[in-house]
Amino acid sequence: LYGLVSQMRRAAVSVPANIAEGFKRRTKADKLHFLTMSFGSLEESRYYLILSKDLEYCDTSEMMKKLEEVSKLLDLYRSKIENS
């Protein structure tokens, strides 16, 4: 359980950290690279929530809703950069 919590925290913190790192990049390709990394961390977080539910550690429904909201916002941000 401790290892799962630690991994979940790292993945969750990595999402906004990659957004922040990509924000000041000059090229569109660099910005999109860091957003792709954010999506990877988001999917890692999703996996940890699924695993937590499967192992019956906790009810993850509220966290999954929040994760979906973040995913939609991140996707919108990526599409705006791609089309700029």
Side-chain angles (χ1 to χ4, degrees), residues 40-55:
S41 296
L42 199 62
E43 289 306 310
E44 188 178 351
S45 298
R46 186 184 322 270
Y47 167 73
Y48 293 137
L49 288 177
I50 291 167
L51 181 60
S52 295
K53 182 180 177 188
D54 288 349
L55 295 173

Side-chain angles (χ1 to χ4, degrees), residues 17-30:
N18 279 303
I19 294 169
E21 191 169 350
F23 180 75
K24 282 291 191 173
R25 297 296 171 145
R26 293 181 185 256
T27 68
K28 187 187 295 190
D30 281 345

Side-chain angles (χ1 to χ4, degrees), residues 13-83:
V13 166
S14 183
V15 174
N18 279 303
I19 294 169
E21 191 169 350
F23 180 75
K24 282 291 191 173
R25 297 296 171 145
R26 293 181 185 256
T27 68
K28 187 187 295 190
D30 281 345
K31 289 178 186 292
L32 292 172
H33 169 74
F34 282 97
L35 289 178
T36 299
M37 300 297 284
S38 289
F39 271 109
S41 296
L42 199 62
E43 289 306 310
E44 188 178 351
S45 298
R46 186 184 322 270
Y47 167 73
Y48 293 137
L49 288 177
I50 291 167
L51 181 60
S52 295
K53 182 180 177 188
D54 288 349
L55 295 173
E56 298 179 357
Y57 286 154
C58 61
D59 178 22
T60 61
S61 58
E62 280 301 311
M63 288 189 288
M64 279 296 235
K65 287 179 190 173
K66 292 180 187 293
L67 195 136
E68 280 302 315
E69 185 177 343
V70 171
S71 181
K72 288 176 185 176
L73 290 169
L74 190 55
D75 194 43
L76 181 62
Y77 184 46
R78 180 179 57 185
S79 69
K80 292 292 184 183
I81 290 173
E82 286 176 337
N83 297 322

